[in-house]
Amino acid sequence: MTVASPADAELLLAQFQTMLRYSDRVTREMTGRFARTYFPDDEDPFAWLSAVRRPLPSGTPLLVAHDERDGMVPFGEAARIADANPGATLLTTKGLGHSRILSTDVFLDPAIDFVTTDAVIPPAARATGRAMPRAAEPVTALV
């Protein structure tokens, strides 16, 4: 399950740089140091932190929850995650922003269902790579 998540770690690094107003050189040094420390032998260490470049195995259920008006992580990140993960269901809320989504029934009810239901991947889903249907209509939160 992801909630208001970026599709790639690079978005967080770019936002952090914008907030703190440090140079591109500092960003390169910081990301290089991180890569050398935690992923010394990996050509693309940030792929490990990417729901797009390293998606879940085909058909693995994933609930992607995001609010259309999230002011911290753009809503488009949820679509990128869902599109890259064939077993994803996109739960869209409206009017909850980045943090309030976590404390509302419109999110909590499907989240609890998701984590307490055994994942059963039907044979047809295995063949198509889609384990759970994508939500057709966004869920609108009453605020």
Side-chain angles (χ1 to χ4, degrees), residues 49-68:
L49 307 172
S50 172
V52 174
R53 296 199 313 260
R54 291 205 188 242
L56 295 170
S58 183
T60 303
L62 173 65
L63 180 62
V64 180
H66 212 109
D67 191 82
E68 287 184 344

Side-chain angles (χ1 to χ4, degrees), residues 3 22 50 57 67 70 72 83 85 91 95 97 101 112 116 130 134 139:
V3 183
Y22 52 78
S50 172
D67 191 82
D70 186 326
M72 295 187 76
D83 288 344
N85 291 275
L91 172 65
I101 189 173
I112 290 169
T116 59
R130 178 142 323 266
R134 180 104 22 111
V139 176

Side-chain angles (χ1 to χ4, degrees), residues 13-101:
L13 296 171
Q15 289 175 326
F16 197 59
Q17 180 182 6
T18 299
M19 283 184 345
L20 296 179
R21 299 180 182 155
Y22 52 78
S23 70
D24 290 342
R25 185 180 71 70
V26 170
T27 296
R28 283 190 303 275
E29 179 59 32
M30 188 171 59
T31 57
R33 190 174 291 190
F34 174 85
R36 287 187 304 276
T37 301
Y38 296 104
F39 301 97
D41 299 322
D42 199 320
E43 288 183 33
D44 186 10
F46 287 96
W48 287 102
L49 307 172
S50 172
V52 174
R53 296 199 313 260
R54 291 205 188 242
L56 295 170
S58 183
T60 303
L62 173 65
L63 180 62
V64 180
H66 212 109
D67 191 82
E68 287 184 344
R69 296 187 186 137
D70 186 326
M72 295 187 76
V73 177
F75 177 73
E77 294 293 287
R80 291 182 63 215
I81 294 169
D83 288 344
N85 291 275
T89 298
L90 180 58
L91 172 65
T92 303
T93 61
K94 293 182 183 178
L96 297 174
H98 185 71
S99 300
R100 286 187 19 227
I101 189 173

